[in-house]
Amino acid sequence: MSQKTPRDFFKPLAIGAPAPMRDLPIRLERMIHFVPPHLDKVRAKVPDMAGSVDVMLANLEDAIPADAKDAARAGAIEMANMYDWQGKGTGFWSRVNPLNSPWFQEDVSELVLKAGHQLDVIMLPKVEGPWDIHFADQYVAQLEAKAGLTRPILFHAILETAQGMARVEEIALASPRMQGISLGPADLAADRKMKTTRVGGGHPFYRVIDDPNEDGSPRASAQQDPWHYTIARMVDACRMAGINAFYGPFGDIADLDACEQQFRNAFLLGCSGTWSLHPKQIAIAKNVFSPDPKEVVFARKILAAMPDGSGVAMIDGKMQDDATWKQAKVISDLADLVAEKDPDLAKAYAAG
Ligand SMILES: CC(C)(COP(=O)(O)OP(=O)(O)OC[C@H]1O[C@@H](n2cnc3c(N)ncnc32)[C@H](O)[C@@H]1OP(=O)(O)O)[C@@H](O)C(=O)NCCC(=O)NCCSC(=O)C[C@](C)(O)C(=O)O
Ligand SMILES: [Mg+2]
C-alpha cells in the first residue's frame, strides 16, 4: 500500500508546522490576476488594483526573463506587504519556478520566510505527478515551521505536460494543501505536439464539417474547442478531490470576444475561475464567472419550491426534482459569495 493512512494524511509534515486544512476556505476566485513583479511601473499599480480582483498573483516563472528572476522574487515580497491581503479579502498568490529550475528553492524559501503570513497559495508549474507535490509539501512544511506560521499555505498545480494530464487525478489527491488546478495550454500544447502557436482558445483548422450537399454547394463547417476534453477531465479530477478547477491563460489579449467565450465554456463545465493576464481581461472574468442574475432568480425559485430538497415541482413548465435542487444550490451559493463582494450584483440577484 503506497498511500498514507487516513490519520497521517492530515498531520503536519514538520514539527511546528500548522496542521493541514480539512476543508478549503470558501473564497471567491473568479480571476487570478498575473503581475510581473520585477517591473516597478506595474508593481506600483498593485495597491490600487488589489480591491478590483479576487486574487493577485506575483509571477516568477515563464514571462520573467532569466536575468530578472531575483528582481521578480524581491518584487513579489514587496507586493506581499503592499496591501492588507488577509484583512481585505483579496487572495495573494505567487507562481514559483519549476522544481527542476535553479530558482525553485530560493523562490519558495524567500516567499514563505518573508511573506508567508500574507501568502495564500503557491502555484506550482509543470507538475508531472504526485511526487512533485509531495516534495514541495515537505519543503514548505519545514519553512512554515521556521517562519512560525499558524495558517498553512495551499498549492495550485498547473497542467502543462502530457504526463501531468495523465496523472491529474493523482495530483489532485496528493495533499490536503491542494487548492486547485489550472490548465497551462501553451506548455501542454508543446508537450503533446499539438500544432498550434496560440495560448489557449480555438483554432481555425480544428472544426467539424457537414456531410456533402447533394447539389454540390459549399459545406458548412464550424470551429470546435480543442480544450474541451482537457478541461472536462481536469474538472472531474478536481471535484473528485474537493478542490477547484481553473481555465488558465488566454493569450490573445486583443480578442476580447474569444476570451469571453473560452471563459464561459470553462465556467459552464465547472471551473471556478480563470487567469487574467491584462487589465482588460479582469472585467471579462468578473462578468463570466459571476452567475447570470436571471439564472440566480430561477435557481432560487427552485430552492423555494422544494424547501427540503426532495420531491418534484413544475416551474415555468420545467420539471424540478432533488437533482435540479442541487444544481440550483450551486448557482445560489455562488451568487451569495459574489453578492458579498459586489453590491450591484447583490441587487440584481435579489430582484425577482
Ligand atoms: C501581455 C503584456 C506583456 C502586455 O503588456 P503591454 O504593456 O504591452 O500592454 P498594454 O495594453 O500597453 O498595457 C496597458 C496598461 O496596462 C498595464 N498592464 C499590462 N499588463 C498588466 C498586468 N498584468 N497587470 C497590471 N497592469 C498591467 C500596462 O503597464 C499599461 O499601463 P500604463 O497605461 O500605465 O502604461 C502584459 O499584459 C503582461 O506582462 N501580462 C502578464 C503576462 C504573463 O504573466 N504571462 C505569463 C502567464 S501565461 C503562461 O505562463 C502560460 C502557461 C500557463 O505557462 C502555459 O500555458 O504554459
Ligand atoms: Mg507554462
Side-chain angles (χ1 to χ4, degrees):
M1 194 172 91
S2 59
Q3 293 271 358
K4 278 190 185 175
T5 65
R7 270 183 239 293
D8 281 350
F9 195 67
F10 287 103
K11 281 192 180 146
L13 291 178
I15 297 165
M21 290 180 190
R22 285 180 178 259
D23 292 304
L24 286 180
I26 297 172
R27 290 187 185 139
L28 193 58
E29 292 166 336
R30 295 167 295 183
M31 81 296 293
I32 304 160
H33 183 69
F34 268 58
V35 170
H38 60 303
L39 301 180
D40 297 345
K41 192 184 94 171
V42 182
R43 207 173 58 249
K45 295 175 197 277
V46 165
D48 284 344
M49 286 185 82
S52 69
V53 297
D54 295 338
V55 175
M56 187 78 85
L57 177 143
N59 176 32
L60 308 184
E61 201 224 6
D62 292 357
I64 308 301
D67 62 4
K69 294 290 186 187
D70 291 345
R73 195 185 299 124
I77 288 157
E78 206 182 309
M79 273 174 67
N81 298 309
M82 284 173 110
Y83 191 73
D84 179 14
W85 305 100
Q86 295 300 321
K88 292 189 174 162
T90 297
F92 179 64
W93 300 17
S94 183
R95 177 172 80 167
V96 297
N97 286 286
L99 269 69
N100 63 356
S101 74
W103 304 292
F104 173 82
Q105 193 191 1
E106 212 169 335
D107 286 351
V108 175
S109 63
E110 291 279 295
L111 280 167
V112 178
L113 295 177
K114 296 188 178 161
H117 290 282
Q118 291 285 16
L119 191 66
D120 291 297
V121 175
I122 295 177
M123 187 183 270
L124 297 165
K126 302 177 177 73
V127 173
E128 299 265 36
W131 51 86
D132 287 342
I133 303 297
H134 294 157
F135 173 80
D137 204 0
Q138 186 76 59
Y139 183 45
V140 168
Q142 295 278 343
L143 294 164
E144 285 172 335
K146 195 169 177 186
L149 300 189
T150 52
R151 180 181 55 96
I153 293 167
L154 300 176
F155 287 166
H156 184 105
I158 319 179
L159 295 178
E160 309 196 82
T161 64
Q163 185 174 193
M165 251 343 281
R167 299 189 192 276
V168 59
E169 292 84 6
E170 294 173 69
I171 293 169
L173 292 169
S175 161
R177 269 192 216 280
M178 287 299 297
Q179 170 275 348
I181 298 182
S182 288
L183 174 65
D187 270 298
L188 182 56
D191 195 61
R192 281 176 168 168
K193 295 199 185 302
M194 290 168 72
K195 310 300 182 296
T196 161
T197 53
R198 300 172 174 215
V199 180
H203 193 288
F205 299 164
Y206 191 79
R207 358 184 19 105
V208 288
I209 185 165
D210 270 3
D211 284 356
N213 295 315
E214 277 180 16
D215 61 4
S217 58
R219 295 156 70 178
S221 78
Q223 255 182 257
Q224 303 292 297
D225 186 349
W227 300 107
H228 178 268
Y229 150 78
T230 310
I231 289 177
R233 181 158 178 203
M234 173 179 72
V235 168
D236 278 347
C238 287
R239 295 312 308 151
M240 167 187 67
I243 66 175
N244 300 317
F246 293 75
Y247 176 76
F250 185 84
D252 190 346
I253 307 287
D255 192 348
L256 303 182
D257 291 340
C259 176
E260 180 171 340
Q261 190 57 54
Q262 281 281 294
F263 287 0
R264 182 154 287 120
N265 292 351
F267 174 70
L268 287 169
L269 285 181
C271 289
S272 310
T274 185
W275 300 7
S276 51
L277 301 184
H278 187 280
K280 281 182 188 169
Q281 294 183 340
I282 296 172
I284 301 174
K286 198 175 279 188
N287 178 35
V288 169
F289 286 90
S290 305
D292 181 70
K294 282 199 201 101
E295 289 269 271
V296 174
V297 170
F298 188 66
R300 288 186 174 155
K301 270 193 202 172
I302 299 172
L303 298 182
M306 301 165 61
D308 71 352
S310 73
V312 68
M314 285 293 280
I315 300 178
D316 301 348
K318 299 181 183 74
M319 186 281 302
Q320 310 300 333
D321 66 2
D322 309 44
T324 61
W325 187 93
K326 291 176 198 153
Q327 291 176 283
K329 186 90 170 69
V330 168
I331 293 176
S332 177
D333 286 353
L334 177 57
D336 286 343
L337 206 54
V338 171
E340 282 174 26
K341 197 157 180 173
D342 188 324
D344 290 339
L345 278 171
K347 262 189 231 151
Y349 294 157

